[in-house]
Amino acid sequence: MFKYTTLIINLLFLSAICSAEQIHDESFYQKNQIENAIQLPESINFLVLGDWGRNGHYDQLTVAKWMDIAMQKFDGDFIVTTGDNFYSNGIASVNDPYWQTSFEDIYRGPHLFEDWYATLGNHDYRGNWQAQIDYSNISRRWNMPAPYYAKSFTLDDGETVQMLFIDTNPLNPEYKNRPKYAATQIPDADKQLAWIESQLQASDAKWKIVIGHHPLYSSGKRYGKTDGIRGVLEPIFEKHKVTAYFAGHEHDLQHNQPENTTVAHFVSGAGSEIRTVAQREFTKFAAAISGFIAVSVNSNALLVQMISGEGKVLYHTKIMQELN
């Protein structure tokens, strides 16, 4: 009886989503415009979404709507996740209904059917994290070939953008003695660190971008509590001149730029639930507002725009490519 009741509730929920949706035709995109959006010519364009999988609750639905509009606006190429893809305890298997009610039926706008490159968060490790890798063999758009992996994208002039999608959970010293996150200690952390080092060292890409879950600096809840993961990753990022690091974990939008680092640090963890932030000594921007990040990169610049769940560009910054 319980199973049938759950099924009926899920069907009613999905019916409400469908009935609330507007028809996504040309007039829909003309009517819904992102305020103050900036276009970067001849660029690769992608969105960064974090801490999102909540079955449509909080602001997940409105964020999904504006992600679709942003992908149409910027002619988006793909979508990146910074982890915590499924709250609160991950998923059970590739057949878990959560795939439908928290992913497939939420991100259903026509421009969201591009490649999704996913990373794992700590909440994903509280479930069957291997199932998120295996789902890559079922879904056309979900891509997670391994807990960590690399992608390279070619710009119009032939230069490349190197992107590393890393698994910060086994690298984070905070989880070594926490029973709730015991599964994070199963992967070989040293092996991954050696892989990150070798990937960055061998790369001659014009832009080096790393995607992970845990921020190295935070203006939010974990301000002053990121020393562990920072000590592991920051020396590698600085040594190999990583351009930008995108993380989640904090439920907000942030740009942090400490004086002692050349790496730009961004947080995109406002995909559904949000938490408060504050102005810190290294804060360039921080907002407790639901939303996501839009990134455009060409041969000359990397443009980051933080877009709210109401379709407004809250903040933007541009990193210029240094001339050799």
Side-chain angles (χ1 to χ4, degrees):
M1 183 65 181
F2 175 75
K3 290 183 177 179
Y4 291 112
T5 302
T6 303
L7 177 61
I8 291 171
I9 291 172
N10 286 336
L11 289 173
L12 289 173
F13 170 72
L14 296 179
S15 176
I17 292 175
C18 294
S19 63
E21 280 192 324
Q22 301 182 52
I23 297 174
H24 286 55
D25 56 14
E26 186 176 348
S27 63
F28 172 83
Y29 298 103
Q30 290 174 347
K31 181 179 178 181
N32 294 277
Q33 296 286 324
I34 297 174
E35 294 185 21
N36 305 317
I38 302 172
Q39 298 282 106
L40 198 63
E42 300 178 343
S43 58
I44 291 173
N45 305 289
F46 61 94
L47 306 185
V48 184
L49 173 71
D51 301 79
W52 46 275
R54 291 186 180 274
N55 226 14
H57 297 302
Y58 299 96
D59 292 329
Q60 190 182 6
L61 284 171
T62 56
V63 169
K65 168 189 169 181
W66 285 101
M67 286 175 61
D68 177 62
I69 295 167
M71 288 289 283
Q72 189 272 345
K73 172 72 174 178
F74 302 121
D75 192 19
D77 296 291
F78 55 91
I79 297 162
V80 165
T81 86
T82 59
D84 278 2
N85 307 314
F86 298 96
Y87 283 95
S88 287
N89 298 307
I91 54 168
S93 70
V94 294
N95 299 312
D96 193 321
Y98 222 13
W99 282 108
Q100 294 299 318
T101 59
S102 198
F103 175 56
E104 301 287 2
D105 293 322
I106 301 295
Y107 304 97
R108 55 187 291 127
H111 299 281
L112 298 178
F113 282 84
E114 300 292 345
D115 288 334
W116 286 57
Y117 297 107
T119 58
L120 293 167
N122 53 297
H123 283 271
D124 299 311
Y125 266 95
R126 288 164 65 174
N128 184 349
W129 55 273
Q130 180 63 44
Q132 294 198 39
I133 296 171
D134 296 340
Y135 197 68
S136 303
N137 298 320
I138 295 175
S139 170
R140 171 58 186 85
R141 58 177 171 165
W142 184 267
N143 292 273
M144 190 191 292
Y148 53 91
Y149 55 99
K151 296 290 295 184
S152 182
F153 301 92
T154 304
L155 298 168
D156 285 356
D157 65 352
E159 295 284 357
T160 58
V161 179
Q162 182 195 38
M163 297 185 69
L164 299 187
F165 300 84
I166 66 173
D167 182 1
T168 58
N169 296 281
L171 307 180
N172 194 342
E174 177 185 348
Y175 294 153
K176 286 188 176 179
N177 298 306
R178 295 185 65 181
K180 183 166 61 174
Y181 296 117
T184 66
Q185 302 307 297
I186 295 173
D188 189 331
D190 290 336
K191 182 179 179 180
Q192 183 184 178
L193 285 173
W195 176 86
I196 294 171
E197 182 95 35
S198 65
Q199 287 285 320
L200 292 173
Q201 184 171 358
S203 175
D204 60 356
K206 200 164 193 176
W207 302 97
K208 297 179 181 180
I209 300 171
V210 181
I211 312 292
H213 183 62
H214 295 89
L216 307 194
Y217 296 89
S218 175
S219 298
K221 175 183 176 181
R222 295 175 177 87
Y223 170 71
K225 300 178 181 179
T226 62
D227 291 358
I229 189 64
R230 183 165 70 245
V232 173
L233 289 174
E234 187 169 54
I236 299 175
F237 292 174
E238 290 290 333
K239 176 182 177 182
H240 297 291
K241 299 181 179 179
V242 168
T243 308
Y245 176 59
F246 291 86
H249 202 43
E250 298 285 58
H251 299 179
D252 45 54
L253 300 169
Q254 303 178 30
H255 175 199
N256 300 310
Q257 193 63 61
E259 293 182 357
N260 64 338
T261 178
T262 60
V263 181
H265 291 266
F266 300 99
V267 171
S268 181
S272 54
E273 183 191 36
I274 58 172
R275 287 196 292 253
T276 58
V277 293
Q279 189 72 27
R280 312 297 186 180
E281 64 273 15
F282 46 67
T283 308
K284 293 290 185 180
F285 174 83
I289 299 175
S290 64
F292 55 94
I293 289 178
V295 181
S296 300
V297 56
N298 64 16
S299 296
N300 301 315
L302 185 147
L303 172 67
V304 174
Q305 301 182 79
M306 299 194 175
I307 301 174
S308 75
E310 296 179 345
K312 299 178 181 179
V313 175
L314 303 170
Y315 171 80
H316 77 271
T317 187
K318 188 182 290 185
I319 302 170
M320 303 304 296
Q321 178 65 47
E322 293 183 4
L323 297 176
N324 294 325

